[in-house]
């Protein structure tokens, strides 16, 4: 359960949970991006089905008002609070404008998860629409093992030299023929390989959603 408090580091969660995540033997990371506040019901369904099993959620920008709404509602709803991973990392996108107290969210964040260094950014200031070379180079200065970004609205995955570069895609506004999607990354310890799963989102009758594994 997340404590719903933002630390000086920019992470949302207690100092104890952040430290616990850093030193854990394994980690499961839920990676989302580019909701653009289009479908809060879908966001809640993803949290209900995947949030409680994750050690951290990384949100790569454009739609942080939905994060703020989630935190506000969870402060009054324990069942909802239980769906939120203990640690949240939220970065600001180019479309995250006025009207949210989370505008203090930084352009990028780094933190430790099970001995690995995670780097998260929206990516618009790092040229991700032209490729991942710049963001990879910038993140390497922090010795990042996992590099997460958004902005392009289509999923991407590269694993080289035990470094993951990943875009989960957009949950609501996919581009380039991609499906609405998000990702889950899990791994045991410092040296073992990463397990990366992408999930496509499909709306089914009666306002429900179906999540299915896809290959990227």
């Amino acid at each position: 359960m997340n404590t719903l408090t933002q630390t000086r580091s920019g992470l949302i969660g207690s100092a104890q949970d952040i430290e616990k995540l850093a030193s854990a033997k394994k980690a499961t990371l839920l990676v989302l991006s580019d909701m653009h506040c289009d479908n809060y019901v879908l966001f809640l369904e993803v949290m209900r089905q995947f949030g409680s099993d994750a050690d951290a959620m990384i949100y790569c920008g454009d739609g942080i008002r939905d994060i703020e709404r989630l935190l506000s509602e969870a402060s009054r709803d324990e069942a909802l609070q239980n769906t939120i991973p203990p640690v949240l990392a939220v970065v600001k996108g180019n479309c995250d404008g006025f009207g949210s107290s989370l505008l203090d969210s930084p352009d990028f964040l780094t933190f430790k998860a099970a001995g690995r260094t995670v780097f998260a950014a929206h990516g618009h200031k790092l040229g991700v629409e032209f490729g991942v070379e710049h963001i990879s180079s910038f993140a390497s200065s922090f010795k990042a093992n996992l590099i997460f970004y958004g902005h392009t609205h289509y999923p991407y995955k590269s694993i080289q030299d035990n470094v993951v570069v990943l875009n989960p895609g957009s949950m609501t506004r996919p581009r380039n023929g991609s499906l609405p999607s998000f990702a889950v990354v899990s791994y045991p310890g410092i040296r073992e390989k990463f397990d990366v799963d992408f999930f496509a989102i499909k709306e089914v009758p009666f306002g429900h959603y179906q999540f299915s594994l896809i290959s990227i």
Side-chain angles (χ1 to χ4, degrees), residues 14-190:
S14 70
Q16 292 81 3
D17 283 332
I18 293 168
E19 177 56 35
K20 182 179 178 180
L21 175 65
S23 59
K25 293 184 178 181
K26 59 182 180 179
T28 298
L29 309 177
L30 175 61
V31 190
L32 315 176
S33 192
D34 293 282
M35 294 187 297
H36 286 272
C37 302
D38 288 333
N39 193 333
Y40 186 66
V41 172
L42 168 60
F43 178 37
L44 290 181
E45 189 62 26
V46 171
M47 296 306 298
R48 289 190 180 104
Q49 292 200 34
F50 294 86
S52 59
D53 292 328
D55 301 297
M57 183 184 81
I58 296 90
Y59 188 73
C60 297
D62 279 359
I64 61 173
R65 282 179 297 171
D66 275 348
I67 307 296
E68 181 186 36
R69 180 178 176 183
L70 176 71
L71 298 178
S72 176
E73 292 182 359
S75 69
R76 304 183 299 272
D77 184 340
E78 185 175 347
L80 180 58
Q81 189 175 355
N82 283 329
T83 70
I84 303 175
V87 178
L88 301 185
V90 181
V91 294
K92 190 188 304 182
N94 59 299
C95 294
D96 288 318
F98 297 101
S100 171
S101 64
L102 283 178
L103 283 178
D104 287 337
S105 295
D107 291 325
F108 69 89
L109 274 171
T110 63
F111 63 98
K112 289 283 189 178
R116 311 282 184 119
T117 298
V118 179
F119 174 94
H122 187 60
H124 60 298
K125 295 185 177 181
L126 294 168
V128 294
E129 61 267 44
F130 305 110
V132 298
E133 291 79 10
H134 189 188
I135 192 171
S136 298
S137 177
F138 184 76
S140 70
S141 65
F142 300 94
K143 298 182 179 180
N145 309 106
L146 298 116
I147 302 167
F148 300 135
Y149 70 97
H151 190 57
T152 65
H153 289 225
Y154 57 87
Y156 174 86
K157 177 187 72 176
S158 172
I159 304 177
Q160 295 184 2
D161 299 323
N162 215 22
V163 174
V164 175
V165 182
L166 181 145
N167 186 323
S170 171
M171 292 175 60
T172 59
R173 302 185 186 184
R175 295 176 184 163
N176 287 17
S178 63
L179 298 170
S181 64
F182 60 94
V184 175
V185 179
S186 58
Y187 53 93
I190 296 176

